[in-house]
């Protein structure tokens, strides 16, 4: 069934579209730049053991599996996706204030569950707005998305120095303040109305290829994405705790996290020149191989006497194991999914990411408690499974817009 045509207003590119989306991406990733590396340290400071930390980190991911697709699909049906984004960012700021209360296990778990519900859809909704701009106005996706990586990097660096100056109790305050900043940027989000444009594939091609798009290619690609992302669970949950346990300072930990994002940003800036002509499947295969190498090396660095410099080498692999996943996923969705279903497709991708990441994070607590850094070896089979599924996805369906900015959201 054909989609309603764009209204005259929707054909006009909003003023400063790329700048406003860049501001959204910049602010929406600051909370994660503090929360992911340093929230486990805050939990440890308040007496939670590795198994409890794993539950607090993983339980919200299981909940996201249900809530994120529902909220992203709701955004697709809303009068404007920006309105849903603003409401969810405001709710995140309010809920995150719950961490200011006395950190009992049940309370922290409850706040984390509720926060994950309203926080997780921020990125897929912002991605949906950006991809609509790619299709309608030939906007450049990585040039907008890269600002999220930059802000994440800066948050990593700032977080390390904040912890050194004020202890891990600075984490909840900083997360709350960063949500407030994201809310301000969200108020200036461009309004695009209801999504209208179809996939770059023609209607005839969509009908001819529908079984393939809904079958092996799409499903295997989504599962591969989820598994590769999930393989990062161990380092996300316990790298900061491990690094501190071997005497690395909080500022140095912040620099290690930030260096990984520097590597990611370099990929965004060089993507067209280095990776732009590769298929989404090729990007995913490369990401899986990078993850396998990263988790194989991580536990060996300190025992081999390679020191902090060795961890910088491992963190540099973030450019492959993460950046190529982010771009490859958006490339695939931009080429094969209609504009009216982009939000739902983003939700399906996040569904795959969170169900696998939740399970891997839950397993990471016992792995770290039993084996320390060697628990990272347990992530190698996860990345290998992602590699196998990326290969099984097979050739990418041909896009009528191949080679353009729509099929290559870069």
């Amino acid at each position: 069934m054909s989609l309603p045509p764009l209204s005259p207003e929707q054909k006009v590119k909003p003023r400063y579209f790329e700048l406003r989306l860049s501001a959204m991406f910049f602010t929406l990733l600051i909370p994660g730049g503090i929360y992911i590396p340093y929230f486990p340290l805050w939990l440890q400071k308040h007496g939670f053991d590795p198994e409890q930390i794993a539950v607090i980190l993983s339980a919200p991911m299981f909940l996201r599996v249900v809530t994120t697709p529902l909220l992203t699909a709701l955004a697709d049906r809303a009068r404007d996706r920006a309105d849903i984004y603003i409401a969810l960012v405001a709710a995140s700021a309010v809920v995150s204030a719950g961490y200011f209360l006395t950190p009992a296990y049940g309370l922290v778990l409850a706040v984390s569950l509720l926060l994950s519900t309203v926080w997780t859809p921020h990125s897929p909704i912002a991605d949906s707005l950006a991809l609509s701009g790619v299709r309608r106005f030939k906007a450049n996706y990585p040039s907008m998305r890269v600002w999220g990586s930059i802000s994440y990097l800066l948050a990593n660096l700032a977080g390390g120095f904040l912890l050194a100056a004020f202890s891990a109790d600075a984490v909840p305050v900083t997360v709350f303040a960063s949500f407030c900043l994201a809310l301000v940027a969200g108020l200036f989000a461009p309004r695009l109305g209801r999504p209208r444009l179809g996939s770059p594939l023609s209607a005839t091609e969509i009908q001819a290829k529908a079984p393939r798009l809904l079958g092996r290619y799409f499903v295997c690609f989504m599962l591969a994405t989820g598994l590769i992302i999930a393989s990062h669970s161990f380092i996300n949950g316990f790298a900061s705790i491990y690094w501190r346990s071997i005497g690395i300072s909080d500022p140095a930990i912040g620099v290690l996290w930030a260096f990984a994002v520097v590597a990611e940003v370099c990929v965004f800036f060089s993507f067209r020149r280095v990776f732009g002509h590769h298929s989404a499947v090729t990007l995913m295969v490369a990401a899986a191989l990078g993850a396998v190498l990263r988790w194989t090396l991580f536990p060996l660095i300190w025992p081999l006497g390679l020191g902090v410099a060795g961890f910088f080498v491992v963190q540099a692999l973030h450019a492959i194991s993460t950046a190529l996943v982010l771009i490859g996923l958006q490339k695939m969705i931009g080429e094969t999914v209609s504009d009216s279903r982009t939000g739902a497709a983003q939700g399906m991708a996040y569904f795959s990411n969170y169900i696998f990441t939740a399970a891997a994070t839950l397993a990471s607590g016992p792995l770290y408690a039993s084996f320390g850094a060697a628990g990272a070896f347990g992530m190698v089979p996860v990345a290998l499974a992602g590699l196998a599924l990326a290969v099984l996805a097979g050739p990418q369906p041909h896009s009528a817009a191949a080679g353009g900015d729509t099929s290559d959201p870069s």
Side-chain angles (χ1 to χ4, degrees):
M1 184 175 66
S2 62
L3 295 170
L6 288 168
S7 67
E9 293 80 8
Q10 288 178 303
K11 294 179 181 179
V12 178
K13 184 177 181 179
R15 293 185 66 187
Y16 310 115
F17 178 83
E18 286 89 352
L19 177 62
R20 292 155 74 181
L21 259 296
S22 296
M24 285 180 64
F25 281 120
F26 186 90
T27 55
L28 75 85
L29 288 181
I30 294 175
I34 298 295
Y35 192 95
I36 291 175
Y38 303 118
F39 186 63
L41 293 176
W42 182 78
L43 294 173
Q44 184 188 48
K45 180 180 187 296
H46 289 283
F48 299 109
D49 60 38
E51 287 82 4
Q52 289 175 319
I53 292 173
V55 170
I56 291 171
L57 296 179
S58 65
M61 297 177 189
F62 285 111
L63 181 62
R64 293 170 192 170
V65 168
V66 177
T67 59
T68 300
L70 294 175
L71 289 170
T72 52
L74 173 64
D76 275 346
R77 296 192 298 271
R79 185 174 65 178
D80 199 298
R81 284 175 289 202
D83 295 333
I84 304 300
Y85 177 83
I86 292 168
L88 290 172
V89 174
S92 299
V94 172
V95 174
S96 68
Y99 289 129
F100 297 158
L101 303 173
T102 303
Y105 177 65
L107 175 65
V108 171
L109 180 58
V111 171
S112 299
L113 288 167
L114 185 55
L115 180 59
S116 73
T117 300
V118 293
W119 182 4
T120 308
H122 297 184
S123 287
I125 293 175
D127 280 331
S128 296
L129 289 170
L131 286 181
S132 289
V134 169
R135 292 199 179 106
R136 296 182 193 181
F137 318 121
K138 305 300 182 184
N140 188 310
Y141 175 80
S143 72
M144 297 180 286
R145 175 58 179 78
V146 71
W147 290 101
S149 297
I150 291 171
S151 70
Y152 192 91
L153 180 160
L154 294 174
N156 290 164
L157 285 173
F161 287 100
L162 284 171
L163 262 68
F166 302 106
S167 85
D169 286 325
V171 172
V173 177
T174 309
V175 169
F176 171 77
S178 58
F179 277 129
C180 293
L181 182 63
L183 178 59
V184 173
L187 295 175
F188 294 93
R191 265 50 177 186
L192 300 179
R194 291 180 183 272
R196 286 289 184 268
L197 294 183
S199 165
L201 296 175
S202 69
T204 302
E205 288 173 318
I206 288 174
Q207 291 177 359
K209 298 178 183 293
R212 187 174 187 180
L213 295 178
L214 299 176
R216 186 181 71 180
Y217 176 75
F218 188 84
V219 172
C220 287
F221 197 98
M222 287 296 184
L223 293 176
T225 300
L227 285 165
I228 297 167
I229 293 295
S231 73
H232 294 69
S233 299
F234 184 88
I235 191 172
N236 286 341
F238 294 97
S240 293
I241 293 174
Y242 167 64
W243 285 331
R244 180 182 270 185
S245 74
I246 58 178
I248 299 177
S249 68
D250 288 334
I253 289 172
V255 173
L256 280 167
W257 283 105
F259 183 75
V261 186
V262 169
E264 177 183 313
V265 170
C266 289
V267 171
F268 276 109
F269 279 126
S270 64
F271 177 76
R272 282 183 179 229
R273 184 174 65 257
V274 180
F275 301 102
H277 298 294
H278 294 287
S279 71
V281 169
T282 300
L283 297 178
M284 207 57 62
V285 168
L289 291 172
V292 169
L293 180 61
R294 191 177 181 186
W295 314 138
T296 301
L297 293 177
F298 181 81
L300 302 177
I301 297 300
W302 205 252
L304 292 177
L306 300 178
V308 175
F311 288 120
F312 276 104
V313 174
V314 170
Q315 291 297 82
L317 289 169
H318 191 80
I320 305 299
S321 68
T322 299
L324 292 188
V325 175
L326 295 174
I327 296 176
L329 174 62
Q330 300 309 322
K331 181 178 176 71
M332 186 275 288
I333 292 176
E335 291 175 343
T336 61
V337 180
S338 72
D339 194 31
S340 64
R341 298 297 293 164
T342 296
Q346 299 284 356
M348 292 175 67
Y350 279 75
F351 178 97
S352 175
N353 292 351
Y354 289 133
I355 192 67
F356 289 124
T357 299
T361 302
L362 189 61
S364 294
L367 282 173
Y368 184 76
S370 299
F371 305 107
F377 288 133
M379 298 295 106
V380 173
V382 179
L384 285 172
L387 172 63
L389 284 164
V391 172
L392 285 173
Q396 184 164 320
H398 171 71
S399 169
D405 281 339
T406 303
S407 62
D408 177 5
S410 61

